Amino acid sequence: MALNIQNTSLRISAGFLRQFPGDPVPQIAFSGRSNVGKSSLINALLGRKSLTRVSKVPGKTITINFYDIDKKMFFVDLPGYGFARRAPQEAAQWRELTDSYFTKNPNIDRLSLVMQLIDSRVGPTEDDVMMLDFLRASGLSFIVVATKCDKLNVTERRAAEVAFASHPAIGTDTPIVFFSSLKGEGKTALWQQISAHTGIRCP
């Protein structure tokens, strides 16, 4: 069953649990801090320039966006976390929405893989560690995507690879993919992970 990524559209921007699609297809979720590069990564994987809007204002995405990929899977773009200028009430609403996807979602068994995005220049922040701990405790399948790796020089890249591989919250059993939306590095590796977790032949 091959995947035609050209047949992709935004199914819904869901602000409530009741709006989550119930289609019996695998879901791939994208999680990470605001401005970590989720929109750029999704656009790069799908060969699009503006399917998901790349905002200059961190934390602008306030919904869970479900992208229908050829009627065979969903890409699930979760709201970014860790945006310091967000009002406490907004932050609570955003946490509740994301928590509902993981803890109250009747279709959670269709979540095949979580891509946990972490800025390669920064490494896991306190918020990232909390998310990694949650994913590990929940038993969900996840990988770590080290974004914006094109911004590292050779020495910084080697140091980042060592730091990510040895970080206790990531663990030695967690796949780590260094990714650059600008240069396309890591794109093939991510599609291989998606294929391995869904059984769908991907690009």
Side-chain angles (χ1 to χ4, degrees):
M1 181 171 60
L3 189 70
N4 177 14
I5 61 173
Q6 299 304 314
N7 185 24
T8 295
S9 62
L10 174 63
R11 168 70 69 84
I12 190 171
S13 293
F16 303 95
L17 173 64
R18 64 177 181 272
Q19 296 177 311
F20 295 174
D23 307 43
V25 297
Q27 298 186 11
I28 307 296
F30 298 79
S31 169
R33 286 174 54 85
S34 300
N35 206 31
V36 74
K38 284 192 283 89
S39 294
S40 296
L41 185 148
I42 293 172
N43 283 331
L45 284 177
L46 297 173
R48 304 293 186 89
K49 291 184 177 180
S50 58
L51 178 67
T52 68
R53 297 295 181 89
V54 180
S55 175
K56 295 182 180 179
V57 181
K60 191 173 182 181
T61 303
I62 56 174
T63 56
I64 296 180
N65 296 326
F66 289 81
Y67 295 94
D68 186 335
I69 317 297
D70 198 28
K71 308 297 182 184
K72 295 183 177 71
M73 74 171 69
F74 281 116
F75 276 7
V76 184
D77 185 8
L78 299 171
Y81 54 79
F83 182 39
R85 292 200 297 271
R86 187 179 302 129
Q89 183 177 359
E90 274 190 316
Q93 291 172 342
W94 287 39
R95 281 195 300 271
E96 182 178 356
L97 179 61
T98 302
D99 289 349
S100 70
Y101 178 77
F102 287 111
T103 64
K104 301 177 183 178
N105 186 355
N107 303 309
I108 194 63
D109 60 321
R110 295 169 188 162
L111 177 56
S112 298
L113 179 67
V114 178
M115 293 197 184
Q116 179 60 37
L117 279 64
I118 298 174
D119 192 322
S120 64
R121 303 166 299 174
V122 179
T125 65
E126 182 178 349
D127 289 323
D128 294 325
V129 169
M130 289 178 62
M131 191 65 199
L132 288 165
D133 288 345
F134 167 78
L135 291 172
R136 189 170 297 281
S138 68
L140 295 170
S141 296
F142 70 95
I143 66 171
V144 167
V145 183
T147 62
K148 306 182 182 182
C149 67
D150 56 280
K151 299 182 182 297
L152 301 174
N153 61 35
V154 174
T155 301
E156 292 169 337
R157 170 65 177 263
R158 289 174 180 167
E161 289 174 347
V162 171
F164 271 71
S166 61
H167 198 287
I170 295 176
T172 57
D173 59 335
T174 303
I176 302 169
V177 177
F178 277 74
F179 181 83
S180 166
S181 59
L182 181 65
K183 297 184 177 181
E185 179 182 349
K187 182 176 176 179
T188 298
L190 292 182
W191 275 120
Q192 288 173 344
Q193 287 288 337
I194 293 171
S195 180
H197 283 84
T198 63
I200 297 174
R201 184 156 56 89
C202 297

